Amino acid sequence: MSTTILGIESSCDDTSAAVITDGLLRSNVIASQKVHEAFGGVVPELASRAHQQNIVPVVSEALRQAGIEAKDLDAIAFTRGPGLLGSLLVGTSFAKGMAIGLGIPTIDVNHLHGHVLSHFIKEEENQEVPEFPFMCLLISGGNSQIIMVKSPSEMEMLGSTIDDAAGEAFDKCAKVMGLPYPGGPHIDRLAAEGDPEAFRFAKPHIPGLDYSFSGLKTSFLYTVRDNLRIDPDFIEKRKADLAASLQKTIIDILLDKLAKAVKEHPVKQIAIGGGVSANSGVRSAIEDFCRRRGIRAWIPKRSFTTDNAAMVAIAGYFKYQNQDFCSLDLPPYSKVQV
Ligand code: KG4
């Protein structure tokens, strides 16, 4: 008997629904919210309103593209957290209501587990997937973590950011340069034409496997501010060099801790995930890092790096196999729970 799961993701500013049958992806519809661009960041109240508008058409489209009807679903998986509470409430409530209507179970998914498990989304039958255990560098707009993934349900957080996430470092520095939100992809594009050694920014010195990006952000801000005093056109003239140097510093910080993690916890495979894993420099640096150590690198398809419901559906599929369903009174949560 086959198992078909509907996944729903609404943790931040993307409303997404996806259908997966026995691990194979049948649809993955994402409605991104443009309303936040004018504000230079996600406005929680506007995000939840946009989810309200998008959720019904997005779910309908996901079912249509999958070529199924709601009655063909075996369970509904939804992102329970972490994320923006007002946004999570929309997906959570919708999933519960739809499941009650259909008389099928609901499955709560930790958004971060979804990012990690996105490597198991199959687009064709014989696609290779990672073997447990593997290490995952999870880098997004809200999180930067090194995770030991022992099984789909057993994940040990080895290190995490103590302040900003890697994505925030990209976005906040991009904002200093006057680039649109989210700035990460703009930095990526500009960095390709710049000199990564042109500027030196502060790197953190914190113990263990935790990350910190707030010092880098301040150092970037001061460099720009000091140079603007000398030349008002500084940003325009040096934007590619600034982007390349910033990107290199972020990659150095990420890889320094990853090297330490691999030394303390030897592994044969490393995966990356989260929005920042779409970054060209990060992707090639990880490939190089793994090649030099004889480790297999798992680099996700770009469409599975940012928020999407396919990763929620696959995480739900794993839980379905253990009949790990949730009760209907389970509320969403905003903070990280690994
Ligand atoms: O995983 P995600 O979609 O949302 C969270 O759950 O946080 O990640 C969004 C983050 C943003 O900070 C965005 O700037 C960053 O991912 N990002 C990138 C790139 N594409 C997205 N950062 C650097 N280079 C990119 N190409």
Side-chain angles (χ1 to χ4, degrees):
M1 260 243 312
S2 67
T3 304
T4 299
I5 309 283
L6 171 69
I8 293 178
E9 157 63 32
S10 73
S11 65
C12 189
D13 59 342
D14 292 304
T15 319
S16 181
V19 174
I20 279 186
T21 299
D22 295 338
L24 204 62
L25 186 65
R26 297 176 69 171
S27 66
N28 186 30
V29 177
I30 304 173
S32 299
Q33 304 175 0
K34 300 279 170 236
V35 64
H36 309 287
E37 277 170 16
F39 300 93
V42 177
V43 183
E45 174 72 24
L46 296 180
S48 49
R49 287 189 212 178
H51 283 303
Q52 281 279 358
Q53 287 179 316
N54 294 340
I55 190 86
V56 172
V58 164
V59 170
S60 304
E61 184 58 15
L63 295 176
R64 194 193 66 75
Q65 286 185 17
I68 62 162
E69 291 176 35
K71 66 173 175 45
D72 301 322
L73 294 170
D74 292 294
I76 301 180
F78 63 92
T79 302
R80 188 178 160 214
L84 301 171
L85 216 56
S87 291
L88 289 164
L89 277 167
V90 178
T92 303
S93 305
F94 185 90
K96 290 178 183 177
M98 188 169 173
I100 292 171
L102 293 167
I104 56 175
T106 46
I107 302 170
D108 63 309
V109 170
N110 177 328
H111 180 79
L112 306 180
H113 290 193
H115 274 302
V116 173
L117 297 173
S118 63
H119 292 273
F120 294 86
I121 303 165
K122 288 191 180 178
E123 292 186 279
E124 47 196 71
E125 278 295 350
N126 297 322
Q127 192 176 313
E128 281 191 285
V129 294
E131 275 171 27
F132 298 103
F134 63 92
M135 195 176 279
C136 183
L137 178 65
L138 180 55
I139 35 179
S140 69
N143 300 280
S144 296
Q145 300 177 340
I146 300 176
I147 302 170
M148 185 63 86
V149 189
K150 298 171 185 167
S151 77
S153 57
E154 247 185 305
M155 302 193 193
E156 185 190 348
M157 193 157 72
L158 303 177
S160 179
T161 181
I162 58 164
D163 42 53
D164 287 348
E168 275 175 289
F170 271 109
D171 295 342
K172 288 178 179 169
C173 293
K175 195 172 178 183
V176 170
M177 290 171 66
L179 296 170
Y181 177 85
H186 297 280
I187 298 288
D188 192 354
R189 181 178 42 80
L190 284 169
E193 294 146 27
D195 174 6
E197 306 294 341
F199 299 97
R200 292 216 178 269
F201 303 119
K203 290 184 190 168
H205 298 284
I206 53 164
L209 297 176
D210 286 337
Y211 284 115
S212 165
F213 290 97
S214 63
L216 162 63
K217 194 182 62 185
T218 311
S219 143
F220 185 88
L221 178 70
Y222 287 175
T223 301
V224 171
R225 186 197 62 186
D226 294 348
N227 280 284
L228 278 175
R229 285 195 186 125
I230 302 162
D231 178 2
D233 294 329
F234 170 72
I235 295 178
E236 188 48 38
K237 285 180 189 159
R238 305 296 303 275
K239 59 185 178 196
D241 288 343
L242 281 168
S245 304
L246 170 68
Q247 184 168 296
K248 180 178 183 298
T249 312
I250 292 174
I251 293 171
D252 286 350
I253 295 172
L254 290 172
L255 294 193
D256 279 356
K257 282 291 160 91
L258 194 62
K260 199 166 178 221
V262 168
K263 221 177 214 170
E264 290 175 18
H265 308 268
V267 280
K268 296 197 179 81
Q269 308 185 57
I270 293 180
I272 54 171
V276 178
S277 67
N279 183 270
S280 323
V282 169
R283 294 165 85 88
S284 55
I286 289 285
E287 270 176 351
D288 186 53
F289 176 98
C290 289
R291 195 178 314 114
R292 281 188 284 116
R293 289 169 172 80
I295 294 173
R296 175 154 188 189
W298 291 91
I299 312 289
K301 212 175 143 178
R302 279 200 162 81
S303 53
F304 297 144
T305 58
T306 44
D307 291 347
N308 66 86
M311 68 185 199
V312 179
I314 194 72
Y317 175 63
F318 279 119
K319 286 186 106 174
Y320 186 93
Q321 288 169 321
N322 294 326
Q323 302 282 292
D324 187 358
F325 305 133
C326 71
S327 67
L328 291 170
D329 58 359
L330 213 58
Y333 56 85
S334 58
K335 296 253 164 35
V336 176
Q337 299 186 342
V338 171

Short mmCIF file of all heavy atoms in Angstrom, two decimals, residues 1-5 19-26 74 120 122 125 314 317 320-321:
data_model
loop_
_atom_site.label_atom_id
_atom_site.label_comp_id
_atom_site.label_asym_id
_atom_site.label_seq_id
_atom_site.Cartn_x
_atom_site.Cartn_y
_atom_site.Cartn_z
N MET A 1 0.84 -1.21 0.00
CA MET A 1 0.00 0.00 0.00
C MET A 1 0.88 1.25 0.00
O MET A 1 1.82 1.34 0.78
CB MET A 1 -0.86 -0.01 1.26
CG MET A 1 -2.26 -0.48 0.97
SD MET A 1 -3.56 0.71 1.26
CE MET A 1 -3.28 1.40 2.86
N SER A 2 0.57 2.20 -0.86
CA SER A 2 1.39 3.42 -0.92
C SER A 2 0.87 4.45 0.10
O SER A 2 -0.26 4.38 0.56
CB SER A 2 1.39 4.00 -2.32
OG SER A 2 0.11 4.46 -2.62
N THR A 3 1.78 5.37 0.44
CA THR A 3 1.44 6.40 1.42
C THR A 3 1.61 7.77 0.79
O THR A 3 2.69 8.11 0.29
CB THR A 3 2.38 6.29 2.65
OG1 THR A 3 2.27 4.98 3.17
CG2 THR A 3 2.04 7.32 3.70
N THR A 4 0.56 8.57 0.81
CA THR A 4 0.62 9.91 0.23
C THR A 4 0.43 10.96 1.32
O THR A 4 -0.55 10.94 2.06
CB THR A 4 -0.46 10.08 -0.87
OG1 THR A 4 -0.18 9.12 -1.90
CG2 THR A 4 -0.42 11.47 -1.48
N ILE A 5 1.42 11.85 1.40
CA ILE A 5 1.43 12.88 2.46
C ILE A 5 1.33 14.26 1.83
O ILE A 5 2.04 14.58 0.86
CB ILE A 5 2.76 12.83 3.27
CG1 ILE A 5 3.08 11.41 3.77
CG2 ILE A 5 2.74 13.85 4.41
CD1 ILE A 5 2.31 10.94 4.95
N VAL A 19 3.11 17.49 -2.26
CA VAL A 19 2.59 16.13 -2.13
C VAL A 19 3.72 15.14 -2.41
O VAL A 19 4.46 15.28 -3.39
CB VAL A 19 1.42 15.88 -3.11
CG1 VAL A 19 0.99 14.41 -3.06
CG2 VAL A 19 0.24 16.79 -2.80
N ILE A 20 3.88 14.18 -1.51
CA ILE A 20 4.89 13.14 -1.65
C ILE A 20 4.23 11.77 -1.49
O ILE A 20 3.45 11.56 -0.56
CB ILE A 20 6.02 13.34 -0.62
CG1 ILE A 20 7.00 14.41 -1.15
CG2 ILE A 20 6.77 12.04 -0.31
CD1 ILE A 20 8.23 14.62 -0.33
N THR A 21 4.50 10.87 -2.43
CA THR A 21 3.99 9.49 -2.31
C THR A 21 5.19 8.55 -2.17
O THR A 21 6.05 8.52 -3.06
CB THR A 21 3.15 9.09 -3.53
OG1 THR A 21 2.03 9.97 -3.63
CG2 THR A 21 2.64 7.65 -3.41
N ASP A 22 5.26 7.84 -1.07
CA ASP A 22 6.36 6.91 -0.79
C ASP A 22 7.73 7.55 -1.03
O ASP A 22 8.63 6.94 -1.64
CB ASP A 22 6.21 5.64 -1.65
CG ASP A 22 4.96 4.88 -1.28
OD1 ASP A 22 4.47 5.07 -0.15
OD2 ASP A 22 4.46 4.12 -2.12
N GLY A 23 7.88 8.78 -0.61
CA GLY A 23 9.16 9.47 -0.73
C GLY A 23 9.37 10.18 -2.05
O GLY A 23 10.30 10.97 -2.19
N LEU A 24 8.49 9.92 -3.02
CA LEU A 24 8.66 10.51 -4.35
C LEU A 24 7.83 11.79 -4.46
O LEU A 24 6.63 11.80 -4.18
CB LEU A 24 8.20 9.49 -5.40
CG LEU A 24 8.78 9.63 -6.79
CD1 LEU A 24 10.29 9.44 -6.79
CD2 LEU A 24 8.14 8.59 -7.73
N LEU A 25 8.49 12.87 -4.90
CA LEU A 25 7.83 14.18 -4.96
C LEU A 25 6.87 14.26 -6.14
O LEU A 25 7.24 13.97 -7.28
CB LEU A 25 8.90 15.28 -5.10
CG LEU A 25 8.39 16.72 -5.05
CD1 LEU A 25 7.80 17.05 -3.68
CD2 LEU A 25 9.52 17.69 -5.38
N ARG A 26 5.63 14.69 -5.86
CA ARG A 26 4.64 14.81 -6.94
C ARG A 26 4.29 16.27 -7.22
O ARG A 26 3.85 16.61 -8.30
CB ARG A 26 3.38 14.03 -6.58
CG ARG A 26 3.70 12.54 -6.45
CD ARG A 26 2.53 11.73 -6.00
NE ARG A 26 1.48 11.65 -7.02
CZ ARG A 26 0.43 10.84 -6.90
NH1 ARG A 26 0.31 10.06 -5.84
NH2 ARG A 26 -0.49 10.81 -7.84
N ASP A 74 -3.16 10.33 2.89
CA ASP A 74 -3.12 9.47 4.08
C ASP A 74 -2.89 10.27 5.35
O ASP A 74 -3.25 9.83 6.44
CB ASP A 74 -2.02 8.42 3.93
CG ASP A 74 -2.36 7.43 2.83
OD1 ASP A 74 -3.32 6.69 2.99
OD2 ASP A 74 -1.68 7.46 1.78
N PHE A 120 16.37 13.76 1.35
CA PHE A 120 15.70 12.48 1.09
C PHE A 120 14.50 12.64 0.15
O PHE A 120 13.82 11.67 -0.15
CB PHE A 120 15.26 11.84 2.42
CG PHE A 120 16.43 11.44 3.27
CD1 PHE A 120 17.03 12.36 4.13
CD2 PHE A 120 16.98 10.17 3.18
CE1 PHE A 120 18.15 12.02 4.88
CE2 PHE A 120 18.08 9.81 3.94
CZ PHE A 120 18.68 10.74 4.79
N LYS A 122 12.85 12.51 -3.08
CA LYS A 122 13.24 11.86 -4.34
C LYS A 122 12.44 12.44 -5.50
O LYS A 122 11.22 12.57 -5.41
CB LYS A 122 13.00 10.36 -4.25
CG LYS A 122 13.98 9.64 -3.36
CD LYS A 122 13.85 8.15 -3.54
CE LYS A 122 14.83 7.41 -2.65
NZ LYS A 122 14.71 5.98 -2.76
N GLU A 125 12.93 7.52 -8.94
CA GLU A 125 12.96 6.31 -8.10
C GLU A 125 14.34 5.94 -7.56
O GLU A 125 14.51 5.69 -6.39
CB GLU A 125 12.39 5.12 -8.88
CG GLU A 125 10.88 5.04 -8.89
CD GLU A 125 10.28 4.80 -7.50
OE1 GLU A 125 11.01 4.51 -6.55
OE2 GLU A 125 9.04 4.94 -7.37
N ILE A 314 8.41 15.21 3.37
CA ILE A 314 9.31 14.05 3.52
C ILE A 314 9.55 13.76 5.01
O ILE A 314 9.59 12.60 5.42
CB ILE A 314 10.65 14.23 2.74
CG1 ILE A 314 11.38 12.89 2.62
CG2 ILE A 314 11.58 15.25 3.36
CD1 ILE A 314 10.80 11.91 1.69
N TYR A 317 6.61 12.01 6.12
CA TYR A 317 6.58 10.63 5.61
C TYR A 317 7.36 9.70 6.54
O TYR A 317 6.91 8.60 6.88
CB TYR A 317 7.15 10.60 4.19
CG TYR A 317 7.28 9.22 3.60
CD1 TYR A 317 6.17 8.43 3.37
CD2 TYR A 317 8.54 8.70 3.30
CE1 TYR A 317 6.30 7.15 2.85
CE2 TYR A 317 8.67 7.42 2.77
CZ TYR A 317 7.55 6.65 2.55
OH TYR A 317 7.68 5.39 2.05
N TYR A 320 5.33 9.20 9.58
CA TYR A 320 4.16 8.35 9.27
C TYR A 320 4.53 6.88 9.39
O TYR A 320 3.75 6.06 9.90
CB TYR A 320 3.65 8.65 7.86
CG TYR A 320 2.36 7.93 7.52
CD1 TYR A 320 1.12 8.53 7.73
CD2 TYR A 320 2.38 6.63 7.00
CE1 TYR A 320 -0.07 7.87 7.46
CE2 TYR A 320 1.19 5.96 6.72
CZ TYR A 320 -0.02 6.58 6.94
OH TYR A 320 -1.19 5.92 6.66
N GLN A 321 5.75 6.55 8.94
CA GLN A 321 6.17 5.15 8.98
C GLN A 321 6.22 4.61 10.41
O GLN A 321 6.07 3.42 10.65
CB GLN A 321 7.52 4.99 8.29
CG GLN A 321 7.37 5.13 6.78
CD GLN A 321 8.70 5.24 6.07
OE1 GLN A 321 9.62 5.89 6.55
NE2 GLN A 321 8.80 4.60 4.93
#
